Amino acid sequence: MIKTLEWTDAGVRFIDQTKLPTEETYVTSKTYEEVADAIRTMVVRGAPAIGVAAAMGVALGVRESKAKDHDELQKDFTRICEVLAATRPTAVNLFWGIRRIKEKFDELSARPIPEIKRALITEANRMLAEDIAANEAMGRHGAVLLPSRGSVLTHCNAGALATCGYGTALGVVRAAVDSGKKLHVFADETRPFLQGSRLTAWELMKDGIPTTVISDNMAGAIMRQGKIGAVIVGADRIAANGDVANKIGTYTVAVLAKEHGIPFYVAAPFSTVDLNTPDGAQIPIEQRSAREVTHLAGKQITPDGVNVENPAFDVTPHQYVTAIITERGVVREPYVESLRALAE
Ligand code: MRU
């Protein structure tokens, strides 16, 4: 299995996703600030991977803290959490990861400092293992929903690289293929950062799953030709009413899927569900640098000074979502009730 991220004695080690698919290189973040940079610059990306990276970042920051007493440690802890929380705003898993480490920190607040440091590392590693287990469970729940043969379309990368391993949407594809289904994946290239053509294609080819890359504007035509049996994507945040924030372009794919009568599935761990956010309009959407749009592989592709927008995510209203696949089971409309039931 691809090691998207792992804890090492030297720091948090990431496969550098900015270099894929042409270079498979690894970088080690030795401080919590370096972990924050890795998240911001998308060395590591994908909601579940960001959540665990942030948890490991906090554990690393606390391990490196020179605090001599609990008051100093508390101050360091608060600052570390703030820096990591300010990296990317949309994926709720980031805040979930930090909150979970904070719960452990609070629980141990009276214990000796070396014990606290060890416990946070253990907790972050536990989160990594749980993420992989959740993805495998999603795979078991979701595999039955995919057609027994034919093609599915995915957008962005919701695979091993976006998680601690196996993947959410691509985990469901992997589980379906393992169960004997004969599937082919159409991967939208996913402008502007190209997570589909660079990352999804790379990891599916590594697994020998037949894959075809299309540019984003080809999806409608391919659907019209009857080539797509289902769409499956991941999510960065799912509001209480089932509205789904995911990579920019997901909404377009969902509308196209509905128009062509194709089921549109979202696979995500329950940590992506944010019951405190009532609907998609309340989800903060990250705006990224214009350079991601104006340049391709370092080469300028737009006129100097042109206006650019670069929202990294969009919101797909719940009416377009056929089902949400989580490690706790599959839910459908009405999502307000079905998601709440899953939480309980
Ligand atoms: O900007 P990114 O690459 O972090 O965006 C990732 C996505 O939109 C994924 O689809 C989402 O995080 C789900 S990953 C299992």
Side-chain angles (χ1 to χ4, degrees), residues 24 187 250 281:
E24 187 175 335
T250 302

Side-chain angles (χ1 to χ4, degrees), residues 55-73:
M56 288 191 171
V58 179
L60 182 61
V62 169
R63 189 189 72 172
E64 300 306 305
S65 164
K66 304 273 182 295
K68 288 181 207 59
D69 57 38
H70 284 78
D71 280 352
E72 282 180 31
L73 190 66

Side-chain angles (χ1 to χ4, degrees), residues 19 157 221 227 231 292 305 336:
K19 301 281 190 329
N157 172 268
K227 288 187 181 161
V231 174
E292 288 178 357
V336 173

Side-chain angles (χ1 to χ4, degrees), residues 235-310:
D236 285 81
R237 195 185 294 225
I238 300 173
N241 71 343
D243 290 355
V244 173
N246 192 48
K247 180 53 53 193
I248 190 74
T250 302
Y251 170 58
T252 316
V253 175
V255 173
L256 284 168
K258 190 166 193 132
E259 175 66 21
H260 293 92
I262 299 166
F264 179 89
Y265 298 117
V266 174
F270 203 72
S271 52
T272 304
V273 177
D274 179 9
L275 294 178
N276 295 321
T277 296
D279 59 56
Q282 322 299 318
I283 298 175
I285 300 293
E286 176 185 9
Q287 301 290 324
R288 290 191 62 86
S289 153
R291 197 180 157 90
E292 288 178 357
V293 176
T294 58
H295 288 68
L296 201 54
K299 191 177 180 323
Q300 186 175 334
I301 54 168
T302 57
D304 283 335
V306 72
N307 292 326
V308 170
E309 286 205 25
N310 188 14

Side-chain angles (χ1 to χ4, degrees), residues 191-265:
R191 276 283 289 154
F193 208 69
L194 306 179
Q195 289 93 331
S197 54
R198 294 191 304 107
L199 308 177
T200 294
W202 181 80
E203 69 164 85
L204 289 179
M205 286 180 78
K206 245 181 167 349
D207 271 10
I209 297 177
T211 305
T212 300
V213 171
I214 55 171
S215 63
D216 300 341
N217 52 359
M218 295 175 190
I222 304 271
M223 286 182 186
R224 188 138 199 260
Q225 289 162 20
K227 288 187 181 161
I228 306 296
V231 174
I232 184 154
V233 298
D236 285 81
R237 195 185 294 225
I238 300 173
N241 71 343
D243 290 355
V244 173
N246 192 48
K247 180 53 53 193
I248 190 74
T250 302
Y251 170 58
T252 316
V253 175
V255 173
L256 284 168
K258 190 166 193 132
E259 175 66 21
H260 293 92
I262 299 166
F264 179 89
Y265 298 117

Side-chain angles (χ1 to χ4, degrees), residues 113-176:
I113 289 179
E115 185 183 328
I116 297 175
K117 291 184 174 184
R118 279 195 303 275
L120 297 195
I121 296 168
T122 303
E123 184 69 3
N125 275 316
R126 188 177 298 130
M127 290 164 74
L128 182 144
E130 284 175 11
D131 183 60
I132 297 171
N135 293 337
E136 289 169 348
M138 256 174 260
R140 287 191 293 278
H141 294 309
V144 290
L145 300 174
L146 297 187
S148 47
R149 58 179 54 248
S151 294
V152 297
L153 182 136
T154 192
H155 191 74
C156 193
N157 172 268
L161 289 167
T163 62
C164 299
Y166 201 66
T168 59
L170 297 190
V172 173
V173 171
R174 285 191 166 97

